[in-house]
Amino acid sequence: MLVLLPPSEGKAGSGDGGPVALERLSLPGLTAARGAVLDALVRLCRGDEDTAAEVLGLSPGLRGEIAKNAGLPTAGARPAGEVYTGVLFDNLGLATLGAAAYDRAERSLLVFSGLWGAVRISDRIPSYRCSMGVKLPELGALGTYWRSVTAPVLPEVADGLVLDLRSSAYAAAWKPAGEVASRTATVRVLQERDGKRTVVSHFNKATKGRIVRDLLLAGAEPKTPGELMDALLELGHQVELAAEGTARKPWQLDVVVTDVH
């Protein structure tokens, strides 16, 4: 099973170790593109501050992120699973997983990124600020840029069930197609209250984090979207099939929650 996750806007600080070594990151087919994005981002942030803030969509209170990006080549790296914070990762709770569950997380989780394309949680990266929605002056829209790069690389590691929990911006960086799409499942989180169902936003991330954690702790290895539904039902989640997948469109599962927190 391969689980596709979005990153978090909030990130822990850079580590005390050496800087990122692009050639040591997972998915070596992305190495050259990672270098190009990193160079373009650093040049942007070492130039005019107002331009960098506008391109990165930073409010006045976040302008410190520009200096952080400018220093990325020498910033200390740490495992991506420690860099990414926020609601989804808080509820996933990587740091509190046992050894077996963490090993499964290292094998199955893939976090998408505007800067790195996609990384494993064990890949060592510095803290940065660059969302997939950014349009870098030298490279254009990052979602479009990464889509052409990931197209030949990601299918090589997507050899089983693909559980796609990314937000739309990050889903733009790789769209499973053909045979891979037919075994890909997306999840929509709905809140049921007073007989009505609504799509939740903030708590969507929390629920997805809990789903992944439960699967990792249970050692579940579903091979198809149908087996994924069965596994989640056994774990106590209310799951319904919203749409079957095709060669052009993934399966869609609805997870219904009544208590969001």
Side-chain angles (χ1 to χ4, degrees):
M1 178 174 65
L2 182 67
V3 182
L4 312 181
L5 298 176
S8 58
E9 288 295 331
K11 298 177 182 69
S14 295
D16 296 327
V20 62
L22 297 181
E23 69 279 4
R24 295 183 182 178
L25 298 180
S26 302
L27 306 175
L30 304 182
T31 301
R34 287 167 173 152
V37 178
L38 177 60
D39 288 347
L41 179 62
V42 169
R43 279 194 292 271
L44 170 70
C45 292
R46 289 179 178 176
D48 181 72
E49 183 176 302
D50 290 339
T51 299
E54 181 179 358
V55 170
L56 297 175
L58 299 176
S59 65
L62 292 174
R63 287 210 169 198
E65 300 291 301
I66 298 172
K68 181 168 72 175
N69 281 348
L72 283 173
T74 57
R78 64 196 303 177
E82 297 177 10
V83 171
Y84 295 117
T85 59
V87 176
L88 189 153
F89 289 90
D90 284 347
N91 284 271
L92 172 53
L94 289 170
T96 61
L97 293 176
Y102 194 87
D103 286 345
R104 286 189 284 272
E106 287 186 315
R107 295 194 306 269
S108 62
L109 303 187
L110 200 61
V111 185
F112 277 68
S113 162
L115 175 52
W116 314 113
V119 292
R120 301 283 189 181
I121 61 168
S122 57
D123 285 328
R124 298 182 64 84
I125 59 173
S127 182
Y128 66 96
R129 185 81 178 204
C130 184
S131 71
M132 192 65 77
V134 164
K135 295 182 179 179
L136 288 177
E138 300 176 28
L139 301 176
L142 289 178
T144 302
Y145 175 82
W146 282 115
R147 186 158 61 246
S148 63
V149 177
T150 59
V153 176
L154 269 295
E156 295 180 359
V157 297
D159 56 358
L161 170 70
V162 178
L163 175 55
D164 189 352
L165 301 179
R166 298 172 297 169
S167 56
S168 57
Y170 290 90
W174 180 56
K175 296 182 181 295
E179 189 270 337
V180 180
S182 69
R183 49 184 168 81
T184 297
T186 62
V187 169
R188 179 175 62 172
V189 180
L190 302 176
Q191 181 186 10
E192 187 170 70
R193 178 181 293 175
D194 299 327
K196 297 181 180 179
R197 292 180 176 181
T198 56
V199 177
V200 295
S201 53
H202 176 79
F203 299 104
N204 164 62
K205 298 177 182 179
T207 301
K208 289 178 177 178
R210 292 178 192 134
I211 286 172
V212 177
R213 181 179 178 85
D214 287 347
L215 290 169
L216 293 172
L217 289 174
E221 294 288 350
K223 296 179 175 58
T224 66
E227 290 183 9
L228 173 64
M229 281 191 63
D230 292 340
L232 291 175
L233 287 167
E234 290 178 5
L235 290 168
H237 297 279
Q238 183 179 343
V239 187
E240 300 172 359
L241 176 61
E244 291 190 5
T246 67
R248 295 184 177 181
K249 189 175 181 180
W251 293 64
Q252 181 178 306
L253 306 182
D254 285 345
V255 174
V256 182
V257 297
T258 54
D259 180 27
V260 288
H261 56 276

